[in-house]
Amino acid sequence: MSDQPQRFTNRHLEYVAQHTTGDDPFITALKQAAQAAGIPTIWAGVAQISLMQIVLKSAKVRTVVEMGTLAGSTAIALARALPPDGMVHTLEFSDKHADFAEEWIRKSDVPNKVKV
């Protein structure tokens, strides 16, 4: 054991990526629709999302605050890792992005676990 903090490296993300199945059809469709709507494609990668989900589940997190909703894909993914009474509060400055995200969150499997 070390008294120095350990950092995640590209090697960690590569390991997670090798054991990750990729985006599901819903998230893939959301991202395609976001691109078509002119929303920037700056969402978290599949391996990063998987790693965040592992951390949320392991720590038994019930509430998440996300800064920058964009298209809503990360908020949906994080909500999927929370218990049934969990909640993601996501903040978005752009009305266009917030409206898009709210539409897709309503269509998702976690509409009651995400608040834009």
Side-chain angles (χ1 to χ4, degrees):
M1 183 169 289
S2 171
D3 61 353
Q4 299 298 313
Q6 301 299 309
R7 298 184 181 188
F8 285 108
T9 66
N10 284 341
R11 195 166 148 218
H12 293 109
L13 287 176
E14 287 169 12
Y15 176 85
V16 173
Q18 290 171 356
H19 296 85
T20 300
T21 58
D23 285 333
D24 63 70
F26 180 82
I27 296 296
T28 298
L30 182 158
K31 289 179 177 180
Q32 290 171 347
Q35 283 184 287
I39 295 176
T41 59
I42 54 173
W43 36 71
V46 175
Q48 294 164 321
I49 291 293
S50 292
L51 190 55
M52 286 189 278
Q53 288 175 324
I54 290 167
V55 170
L56 293 175
K57 288 178 183 180
S58 298
K60 298 181 180 170
V61 172
R62 295 179 59 198
T63 304
V64 172
V65 176
E66 177 189 41
M67 304 300 287
T69 310
L70 202 58
S73 61
T74 301
I76 291 167
L78 297 179
R80 289 174 172 174
L82 299 179
D85 63 341
M87 180 63 68
V88 174
H89 300 276
T90 180
L91 307 170
E92 178 55 55
F93 179 76
S94 166
D95 289 338
K96 174 185 174 182
H97 298 169
D99 291 344
F100 180 92
E102 286 178 328
E103 175 186 343
W104 280 85
I105 289 164
R106 276 193 300 276
K107 296 178 193 178
S108 79
D109 57 332
V110 290
N112 298 323
K113 292 171 72 174
V114 182
K115 175 72 176 148
V116 180

